[in-house]
Amino acid sequence: MQVLVLNGVNLDMLGRRDPKTYGGVSINELETRIYEWAQDLSLSVRCRHTNSEGEYIGWIHDAYGDADAVIVNPGAWSHYSYAIHDALEILDVPIVEVHLSNVEQREEWRRHSVIADLMALRVIGKGPEGYREALEYLSTQG
């Protein structure tokens, strides 16, 4: 199973942003863990990160016909980007939304995800381990 992991806006600042909220790992350390977990589950994974919404949407378009599943952490875009929603809506594979922090217990505006209705699973507030949970879930979907 080919899984695409798309990390969005400000996730390149992991390790510098509030570690109590986001954990202390960098984006590189997070991606290393994701690759290791995927290998343990016999999944093929590709991680990508961008701070450009247009590039993120382009990668979603590229996933059509290429990926068997997608894990997304759009960051703040989750709360307002209907363009990302519309791009994800085109996909016909399982999609899992992951958030390192518990967005349900943070500011009011973070509690709403405009992409939630498209998700096979949402994993929130579990730090980096949320990606492992997403991968484990997807490994049962193939």
Side-chain angles (χ1 to χ4, degrees), residues 71-75 96-100 121-124 127 130-131 134:
I71 297 172
V72 295
N73 182 346
V96 178
E97 180 181 6
V98 173
H99 291 282
L100 297 166
L121 177 70
R122 295 183 76 218
V123 183
I124 60 170
Y131 288 87

Side-chain angles (χ1 to χ4, degrees), residues 42-67:
S42 300
L43 299 173
S44 177
V45 70
R46 179 170 188 198
C47 294
R48 302 190 89 172
H49 165 266
T50 186
N51 287 314
S52 166
E53 186 177 11
E55 186 171 38
Y56 197 87
I57 291 166
W59 290 341
I60 294 168
H61 292 171
D62 292 345
Y64 187 82
D66 256 2

Side-chain angles (χ1 to χ4, degrees), residues 49-116:
H49 165 266
T50 186
N51 287 314
S52 166
E53 186 177 11
E55 186 171 38
Y56 197 87
I57 291 166
W59 290 341
I60 294 168
H61 292 171
D62 292 345
Y64 187 82
D66 256 2
D68 299 308
V70 179
I71 297 172
V72 295
N73 182 346
W77 293 326
S78 305
H79 312 298
Y80 65 86
S81 179
Y82 287 98
I84 289 174
H85 174 281
D86 291 351
L88 289 169
E89 190 172 41
I90 297 166
L91 297 178
D92 57 357
V93 298
I95 308 167
V96 178
E97 180 181 6
V98 173
H99 291 282
L100 297 166
S101 69
N102 188 343
V103 292
E104 302 288 329
Q105 295 179 349
R106 295 187 62 197
E107 303 92 340
E108 186 66 36
W109 65 269
R110 292 186 196 270
R111 297 177 190 173
H112 176 71
S113 168
V114 300
I115 62 173

